[in-house]
Amino acid sequence: MTEAAKIESGRGLHGTVVPRIAIIAIVTLLLAACDRFPSDPEQSLESIRSRGTIRLGAPENIPPEASALLRRLEKETGARTLRRSGEIEPLLQAVEDGDIDLVIAPFRKDTPSATANALSPPIRTDGRGDKAIEWRAAMPSGENRWISLVEVNARQVARRAK
């Protein structure tokens, strides 16, 4: 092998090693940044776990599926439920204000999803068509860890109810 060939092959090797190291470094940084994904900017899930309570807003009478969802959330978080009863609109405002963590209530099927709160999938549906009423959980928007936990459990409760 000539000296020029050795130099060229060295450049080729150097040219591929440096970008690989850079790619590995970038991937490592991205994975480290994903440690807290999904995120809870207001620390909802961590607050529930550290307080040991889920602050719930709900009407007086809730269906068995709502109770099943609460049991699952209590088990997942190690927290117990403190319930506040009342009208749905003030309870939804309390979620938005951060005074309660979750509202479980009946919503009309055509309730706009672009509300200030995130809505879970239905855990129970009463009626059909335009008159259908869906029992859902409402959570603070943007609290993605909490939302994800509630949504996963809501889907499981709904699946078992069928």
Side-chain angles (χ1 to χ4, degrees), residues 74-96:
E74 288 175 336
K75 183 177 179 184
E76 293 268 351
T77 61
R80 61 186 174 85
T81 301
L82 292 179
R83 185 171 167 178
R84 180 201 290 181
S85 295
E87 297 293 319
I88 295 172
E89 289 303 320
L91 293 174
L92 291 173
Q93 184 62 49
V95 168
E96 189 176 344

Side-chain angles (χ1 to χ4, degrees), residues 27-63:
V27 169
T28 302
L29 288 172
L30 289 173
L31 289 174
C34 291
D35 178 49
R36 302 298 295 171
F37 183 80
S39 67
D40 268 357
E42 300 296 323
Q43 307 293 314
S44 292
L45 184 55
E46 289 82 5
S47 294
I48 290 166
R49 287 184 169 140
S50 66
R51 266 192 330 260
T53 57
I54 299 170
R55 300 170 302 173
L56 169 71
E60 284 294 325
N61 297 312
I62 60 174

Side-chain angles (χ1 to χ4, degrees), residues 118-135:
L119 294 177
S120 75
I123 57 173
R124 175 185 172 125
T125 302
D126 295 325
R128 295 181 187 262
D130 293 343
K131 305 255 187 233
I133 302 293
E134 298 175 329
W135 283 83

